[in-house]
Amino acid sequence: MNTATKIKAEAPKMTIPSTMIAATVTAFGKPLELREWPVPTPGANEILVKTEACGVCHTDLHAADGDWPLKPTPPFIPGHEAIGIVVAIGDQVTSVKLGERVGVPWLYSACGHCEYCLTAWETVCGSAKFGGYTQNGGFAPYLIANPDYVAHIPAGLSARQAAPLICAGITTYKGIKETETKAGQWIAISGCGGLGHLGIQYAKAMGLLVCAVDIDDDKLALAKTLGADAVVNARHDDAVANVQSATDGGAHGVLITAPSLPAFKQGVEMTRKHGTCVLVGLPPGEFPLPLFDVVANCITIRGSFVGNRQDMAETLDFAARGKVTAKIEMQPLAAINDVFKRLAEGKVAGRVVLNFSERSFQ
Ligand code: NAD
Ligand code: ZN
Ligand code: ZN
């Protein structure tokens, strides 16, 4: 059976065009171009997803700027918070059905067989592929996905609400778990943007006390409305002392989401003795570590990279049960360069979500 037959069987009126316009990185550091691409055809174990909404993550900005040692190859289509409907499937696909709502995340696929995959650390699989980075992503009306690694969107969550959760949500939820904090303890969340504004909500839902840290007073005001118990402006010289005092000796866990190097040394210094500081922000470069303090205070410093598929299911479940709600601003695909500029300047509150043709609320 070819894909056209399957699509007809599912949705008689749906026609898939042969070309599409996608926001494309043609060279690092240059504005994205709205460029024509062929609509891809899924292979035997692939699916074609019709995008309804796609969040814009600060990682997309790093990708477009070629910030990291492992670089994508232009031209490519960024976007790893795409939510959409499965409109075509390859012959060997059994794990998703036509018409399902899925998310195409950063962890696009992994080998499934190495020691990391076998122990639910598929995010560090050496053969992992990354959505909107090594594979074309969701700044496009259609994209290909691996059915074994898509997010399954619970009924009752709209595409636009689900979009920020499949990267910003899972990354902060998993990062909080990696701090090993327990209900009633303090977590400091540095950076209250796309990631941090969700992190605050997950942390509250997990019973933690939250100290929100940002350099922007508007973000801190938002953090308060989301339930932060204390807020600290990191621009002030005494930011570390202020966190130490608000948390009565330092936060048991610190989650650094800020895309800014000064936040990292500061974050380590905000950590309570024997606490854990989890790094998820990814500004290019390195930061100085106060070695004596880390050793003598028995502080753990740990990297954390998105989350596995079980983390994804849990992340979405919090939102489906109304415990976490992304603050979103809808924009058309054509606004992408302006959105990138505002993200770089720290002027996006919550998450911008690109608006495609969203199916009515299910
Ligand atoms: P964002 O631009 O939406 O938010 C960043 C926030 O950090 C803003 O509110 C900004 O005001 C604040 N900030 C800037 N400098 C600061 C400082 N010195 N101290 C405290 N706050 C500061 O970005 P985002 O989409 O939330 O992404 C944040 C970072 O996380 C990016 O580097 C991104 O690549 C990375 N990221 C990592 C993972 C992972 O798996 N580890 C996943 C997604 C994103
Ligand atoms: Zn992301
Ligand atoms: Zn693997």
Side-chain angles (χ1 to χ4, degrees):
M1 194 195 281
N2 65 31
T3 47
T5 321
K6 283 180 178 164
I7 297 155
K8 265 190 174 168
E10 176 67 20
K13 289 189 192 128
M14 178 173 290
T15 49
I16 297 175
S18 56
T19 61
M20 63 180 185
I21 300 293
T24 308
V25 175
T26 55
F28 294 130
K30 293 270 155 39
L32 272 61
E33 282 178 27
L34 290 177
R35 187 184 264 204
E36 188 172 84
W37 290 74
V39 172
T41 306
N45 194 30
E46 290 179 334
I47 59 176
L48 181 67
V49 177
K50 185 175 194 297
T51 314
E52 296 177 286
C54 185
V56 182
C57 179
H58 208 108
T59 289
D60 297 313
L61 197 54
H62 294 307
D65 286 342
D67 273 348
W68 297 335
L70 168 71
K71 293 185 198 306
T73 311
F76 68 94
I77 306 170
H80 53 273
E81 287 185 347
I83 309 293
I85 302 298
V86 179
V87 293
I89 64 177
D91 285 344
Q92 289 170 21
V93 173
T94 53
S95 53
V96 303
K97 292 194 174 62
L98 285 168
E100 252 187 69
R101 175 174 279 155
V102 297
V104 190
W106 174 255
L107 183 68
Y108 181 94
S109 67
C111 83
H113 304 288
C114 69
E115 68 173 277
Y116 306 111
C117 284
L118 291 175
T119 53
W121 283 97
E122 57 212 41
T123 51
V124 297
C125 170
S127 306
K129 295 178 180 169
F130 303 117
Y133 203 80
T134 64
Q135 312 302 122
N136 277 334
F139 291 0
Y142 292 89
L143 75 166
I144 295 285
N146 182 315
D148 297 330
Y149 288 85
V150 290
H152 297 273
I153 309 303
L157 258 194
S158 65
R160 61 184 63 187
Q161 269 300 327
L165 304 175
I166 71 163
C167 178
I170 188 176
T171 301
T172 50
Y173 171 61
K174 176 71 162 192
I176 293 165
K177 288 205 281 187
E178 288 293 287
T179 66
E180 298 186 50
T181 43
K182 296 182 179 58
Q185 294 185 327
W186 278 99
I187 186 165
I189 297 184
S190 169
C192 302
L195 265 62
H197 95 285
L198 287 169
I200 292 165
Q201 298 180 59
Y202 280 103
K204 289 311 299 176
M206 293 157 85
L208 297 168
L209 294 166
V210 176
C211 178
V213 181
D214 203 290
I215 51 172
D216 182 303
D217 283 331
D218 290 343
K219 304 285 176 62
L220 294 174
L222 171 64
K224 268 195 182 153
T225 69
L226 297 173
D229 301 280
V231 296
V232 168
N233 192 317
R235 268 205 208 286
H236 301 157
D237 289 344
D238 45 5
V240 171
N242 288 345
V243 172
Q244 298 274 0
S245 128
T247 59
D248 197 18
H252 302 83
V254 175
L255 181 71
I256 307 177
T257 77
S260 155
L261 287 175
F264 286 74
K265 178 164 178 285
Q266 235 177 15
V268 172
E269 290 168 350
M270 291 169 182
T271 312
R272 200 183 195 88
K273 292 180 184 183
H274 196 232
T276 299
C277 181
V278 171
L279 321 182
V280 299
L282 276 165
E286 299 173 5
F287 72 97
L289 201 60
L291 189 51
F292 184 83
D293 293 342
V294 171
V295 172
N297 293 327
C298 296
I299 284 170
T300 301
I301 299 172
R302 182 179 276 177
S304 187
F305 201 40
V306 288
N308 64 30
R309 288 168 286 179
Q310 178 60 25
D311 297 316
M312 182 68 87
E314 294 170 14
T315 298
L316 292 165
D317 187 56
F318 273 84
R321 287 186 291 111
K323 303 289 184 199
V324 169
T325 307
K327 176 178 163 51
I328 54 172
E329 172 194 330
M330 301 305 290
Q331 288 289 346
L333 182 64
I336 188 64
N337 287 314
D338 179 53
V339 173
F340 267 17
K341 184 165 174 285
R342 286 171 53 211
L343 254 191
E345 292 167 354
K347 292 199 174 129
V348 173
R351 199 53 132 197
V352 169
V353 175
L354 302 174
N355 195 12
F356 293 83
S357 54
E358 190 166 7
R359 193 167 75 180
S360 60
F361 196 83
Q362 56 170 205

